[in-house]
Amino acid sequence: MATQRLDQLSEHFANKKTKKTIIGFKNPEDVVIVSALRTPITRAYKGGLKDTKVERLLYCIISGVIEQAGIDPKIITELVIGTVNTLGGGVALGRMAMLHAGIPDSASVVSINRHCASGLQAVAQLASAIRDGTTDVGIAAGVESMTSYFQKIKLLREDCDESSLENPLVEDCLLPMGITSENVATQFGVSRQKQDQFALRSHQKASYAQKNGLFKEEILPVKTKVKDAKGNVLEVIVSEDDGIRHDATLQSLGSLKPAFKPDGASTAGNSSQVSDGAAAVLLMKRKKATELGLPIIGKFITSAVVGVPPSIMGVGPAYAIPEAVKKAGITINDLDVVELNEAFASQALYCIEKLGLDPNRVNPKGGAIAFGHPLGCTGARL
């Protein structure tokens, strides 16, 4: 009876031509995911992707989702890229990558910078465009080569208007992210011990997931070239995240010095790693996926964005998640799994405790503290 009722409701919504995306019901107008992949995430300056250019990372991951879905690249009409520090906002490099991947020049490309949520915003923007009919079939991608650009593009005080900086909130926008992590820890009482314990658990979960092949379905191995310590160029296939500390202990994490202030609690062990990587999600309406005979692996329901004081920017998810679940017509207790960015243990812990989340349901395969946080990529990976 339950199955029959679901089918009846699905037919009802189809007949009404509604664009509502109700959880648990299938509607031809649903925006669905038919393919999703990421590259391995590797350590900046020393990992397997350190010499791989942004356009190469994008080409590989775009080609990967097209191949996984088995579609003709000529049906792609839009590419949305989330990236933070990439030269020129990543638009030209994205254009290079899509053309190299066989997507026609009639398709459009746009880049988005919402800092750590850039890749997620790319997915949300593309889903919205597909829902309202602006585009038909698209790829939302996130990419960052922190090796290439992280230290080269920084907003300095001397670049800013001095009169604007007289406003304390404006001046806080210049704070390094590590200091905002320390502010969260101090303001909300997140101890160093709790941060190290959280980081250890992230590494342990990621270690278990990697050793048991739980990342294989989501990782696209990347064939690339890398320079060794002697300057020799080697051709390699990078297939695994290389930042996981398999032998991490509470003692080893506790021995690390504060990274951002002498008496601080954020360290290289309980903060996300500086990394390189890319991720991509192929989206279209359910009716299009059905027409093409493609498997549907997920449905985009809704998203929410909420601003917070820049001095504690990492607490954003604690305020955006309630808005998102409210828009979806559910409660936080209805969430089975939560993928939460671990920019820093301080902010991740605050968000978990503020929302009353079951820690066992958060990042079951580990998070950015364990395998890295290529800024523009992470949202799409999540």
Side-chain angles (χ1 to χ4, degrees), residues 238-314:
V238 184
S239 59
E240 288 189 331
D241 306 323
D242 65 14
I244 303 169
R245 301 181 187 219
H246 297 282
D247 57 352
T249 65
L250 205 54
Q251 183 177 8
S252 66
L253 292 172
S255 67
L256 297 173
K257 295 180 179 180
F260 306 107
K261 51 189 293 191
D263 59 345
S266 294
T267 71
N270 61 35
S271 305
S272 58
Q273 301 172 46
V274 179
S275 311
D276 304 321
V281 181
L282 179 59
L283 298 164
M284 62 187 69
K285 285 188 176 180
R286 184 183 297 276
K287 61 185 179 184
K288 184 67 173 181
T290 301
E291 173 193 327
L292 297 173
L294 300 177
I296 294 170
I297 61 175
K299 178 170 71 169
F300 185 93
I301 302 294
T302 191
S303 66
V305 180
V306 177
V308 297
S311 63
I312 51 170
M313 61 87 202

Side-chain angles (χ1 to χ4, degrees), residues 64 72 99 141-142 148 157 160 183 190 224 233 269 280 289 336 343 354 358:
D72 184 342
L99 293 173
S148 299
R157 187 181 184 92
C160 301
N183 290 343
V190 186
T224 188
V233 178
D336 291 323
K354 173 73 173 178
D358 178 353

Side-chain angles (χ1 to χ4, degrees), residues 50-70:
K50 68 181 179 67
D51 298 308
T52 305
K53 303 298 185 183
V54 164
E55 62 272 28
R56 177 69 184 178
L57 287 171
L58 277 174
Y59 159 73
C60 290
I61 205 64
I62 291 169
S63 298
V65 292
I66 290 172
E67 183 177 348
Q68 185 184 63

Side-chain angles (χ1 to χ4, degrees), residues 36-37 117-123 140-143 278-281 376-382:
L37 290 169
S118 296
L120 184 57
Q121 184 61 41
V123 176
V143 66
V281 181
C377 165
T378 292
R381 175 188 69 77
L382 291 172

